[in-house]
């Protein structure tokens, strides 16, 4: 079987994601891969699915360009789930194959592939938008969070979006930027629209978005929060050692977790992985994964 470890020693750019896709689909016949949409620059948003049940547990990463370590985290989890199934061995003391009769796992490792490329390779990776990206980044593409149009994907979902927009304007965020500009209207960006469409067109029973950093779990969105969300979040916290938290004001509303709670009425979570300054160094990856594997396995069954 393929030795995947060598692929997790460098940043998770487009070339490496393509290699991982080929290795995963070539090694595990039961993994279904579909393109759920395309980015501004026509890079695919890929979803890896395991199981045939219509009830899908959704995990997503790579919302923000410089948080590409979350893509690696999810690729590692896909691979370890597959190995557990094909070798008929437990993962974190759980027989995963017992869960997949009642639910499926759907993973979108990289929601914002253009932003990830910009953070890793700079403005030149933005093609026809390279001059635009260079200008609005002020030369600092390493800390780029937005998509190629300068829209923060995690401010672009229709969850109290008008209030989010007012808050942005109060903080002087009125134009495309490397972070926190929520766009001209909800789902204005192909990345947010196709992810929302995927959720609308499938039976998603829980959704978790992975960001970095802080080792925190956000689990609520006002009165829309499903009653069982807190219980699930408390178990997630227990298994990971991450703390349960509430986001700061600028991070409330407009996000995928908020939208999933408000529009889909399902338990939804944001997990901030690791600690330090973004982009987190790849040397943190093994530690992040080892700390979160039990929690990730739990999410399949929760």
């Amino acid at each position: 079987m393929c030795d995947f470890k060598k692929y997790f020693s460098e940043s998770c750019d487009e070339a490496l994601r393509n290699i991982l896709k080929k290795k995963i689909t070539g090694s595990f016949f039961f993994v279904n891969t579909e393109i759920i949409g395309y980015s501004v620059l026509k890079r695919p948003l890929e979803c890896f699915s395991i199981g045939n049940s219509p009830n899908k547990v959704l995990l997503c990463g790579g919302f923000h360009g410089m948080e590409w370590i979350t893509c690696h985290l999810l690729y590692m989890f896909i691979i370890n789930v597959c190995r557990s199934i094909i070798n008929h061995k437990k993962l974190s003391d759980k027989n995963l194959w017992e869960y997949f009769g009642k639910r499926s796992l759907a993973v979108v490792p990289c929601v914002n592939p253009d932003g990830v490329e910009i953070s890793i390779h700079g403005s030149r990776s933005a093609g026809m938008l390279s001059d635009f990206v260079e200008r609005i980044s002020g030369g600092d593409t390493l800390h780029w969070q937005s998509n190629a149009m300068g829209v923060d994907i995690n401010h672009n979902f229709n969850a109290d979006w008008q209030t989010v927009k007012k808050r942005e304007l109060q903080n002087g965020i009125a134009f495309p930027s490397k972070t926190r500009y929520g766009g001209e209207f909800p789902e204005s960006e192909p990345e947010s629209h196709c992810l929302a469409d995927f959720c609308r067109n499938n039976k998603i029973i829980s959704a978790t978005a992975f960001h970095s950093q802080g080792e925190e779990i956000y689990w609520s969105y006002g009165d829309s929060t499903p009653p069982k969300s807190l219980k699930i979040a408390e178990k997630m916290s227990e298994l990971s050692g991450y703390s349960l938290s509430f986001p700061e004001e600028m991070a409330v509303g407009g996000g995928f977790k908020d939208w999933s709670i408000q529009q889909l009425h399902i338990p939804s979570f944001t997990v901030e992985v690791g600690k330090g300054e973004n982009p987190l160094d790849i040397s943190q990856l093994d530690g992040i994964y080892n700390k979160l594997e039990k929690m990730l396995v739990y999410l399949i069954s929760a």
Side-chain angles (χ1 to χ4, degrees):
M1 188 174 293
C2 176
D3 176 16
F4 287 94
K5 190 172 180 61
K6 62 184 177 182
Y7 300 116
F8 294 106
S9 61
E10 55 190 274
S11 51
C12 198
D13 65 3
E14 183 177 25
L16 184 56
R17 293 196 306 275
N18 285 335
I19 291 172
L20 286 168
K21 175 187 176 181
K22 290 178 182 178
K23 295 296 182 182
I24 289 169
T25 55
S27 299
F28 309 110
F29 66 90
F30 50 84
V31 177
N32 178 60
T33 307
E34 64 177 310
I35 295 173
I36 66 170
Y38 291 88
S39 68
V40 169
L41 296 172
K42 306 306 179 185
R43 293 185 172 100
L45 275 70
E46 293 171 327
C47 179
F48 297 82
S49 298
I50 302 170
N52 296 317
S53 171
N55 302 314
K56 298 181 185 294
V57 174
L58 177 62
L59 310 179
C60 301
F63 285 85
H64 289 144
M66 68 175 176
E67 298 175 10
W68 50 260
I69 202 166
T70 60
C71 308
H72 263 330
L73 170 71
L74 293 179
Y75 279 113
M76 289 183 80
F77 185 57
I78 294 166
I79 291 162
N80 286 328
V81 167
C82 290
R83 283 176 165 167
S84 170
I85 293 170
I86 206 165
N87 294 320
H88 216 65
K89 291 184 177 180
K90 293 181 179 180
L91 185 65
S92 289
D93 299 320
K94 301 295 182 183
N95 295 319
L96 291 185
W97 51 91
E98 295 179 356
Y99 298 134
F100 288 117
K102 296 181 179 179
R103 58 192 60 204
S104 299
L105 175 65
V107 183
V108 182
C110 190
V111 173
N112 181 12
D114 295 346
V116 167
E117 290 303 299
I118 290 166
S119 177
I120 295 172
H121 294 301
S123 58
R124 67 183 184 278
S125 65
M128 62 182 180
L129 294 172
S130 59
D131 290 344
F132 169 76
V133 167
E134 184 68 17
R135 176 170 55 81
I136 67 172
S137 73
D140 177 20
T141 52
L142 178 67
H143 298 100
W144 186 271
Q145 294 206 104
S146 301
N147 72 350
M149 290 299 294
V151 176
D152 189 322
I153 297 302
N154 212 43
H155 282 218
N156 192 234
F157 290 89
N158 192 18
D160 203 17
W161 187 86
Q162 293 295 343
T163 299
V164 174
K165 180 55 60 175
K166 289 178 182 177
R167 199 180 299 133
E168 287 176 7
L169 293 172
Q170 289 168 357
N171 284 271
I173 305 169
F175 303 101
S177 170
K178 65 183 178 182
T179 183
R180 291 194 167 183
Y181 173 68
E184 295 186 4
F185 53 88
E187 295 183 35
S188 62
E189 306 310 297
E191 299 90 348
S192 52
H193 180 67
C194 75
L195 182 57
D197 256 1
F198 176 77
C199 292
R200 285 187 285 257
N201 294 329
N202 288 274
K203 188 178 179 182
I204 309 299
I205 60 174
S206 73
T208 304
F210 291 85
H211 292 259
S212 64
Q213 47 75 42
E215 297 194 347
E216 296 178 318
I217 299 168
Y218 305 137
W219 57 276
S220 66
Y221 190 60
D223 294 338
S224 300
T225 308
K228 65 179 180 179
S229 295
L230 177 57
K231 183 178 179 180
I232 296 172
E234 287 174 338
K235 187 65 175 179
M236 292 169 66
S237 176
E238 175 190 331
L239 292 172
S240 64
Y242 283 20
S243 61
L244 299 186
S245 301
F246 297 94
E248 62 182 31
E249 185 182 25
M250 275 297 292
V252 176
F256 177 65
K257 180 264 293 178
D258 304 331
W259 176 85
S260 299
I261 289 174
Q262 188 178 77
Q263 302 295 326
L264 304 179
H265 313 293
I266 59 172
S268 302
F269 311 93
T270 295
V271 179
E272 298 279 356
V273 310
K275 281 192 173 181
E277 181 180 341
N278 286 319
L280 297 181
D281 192 89
I282 193 65
S283 63
Q284 285 205 39
L285 180 60
D286 283 345
I288 289 170
Y289 180 83
N290 292 336
K291 209 166 187 179
L292 293 182
E293 185 182 79
K294 288 184 178 179
M295 184 198 80
L296 291 165
V297 168
Y298 166 70
L299 283 171
I300 298 176
S301 64

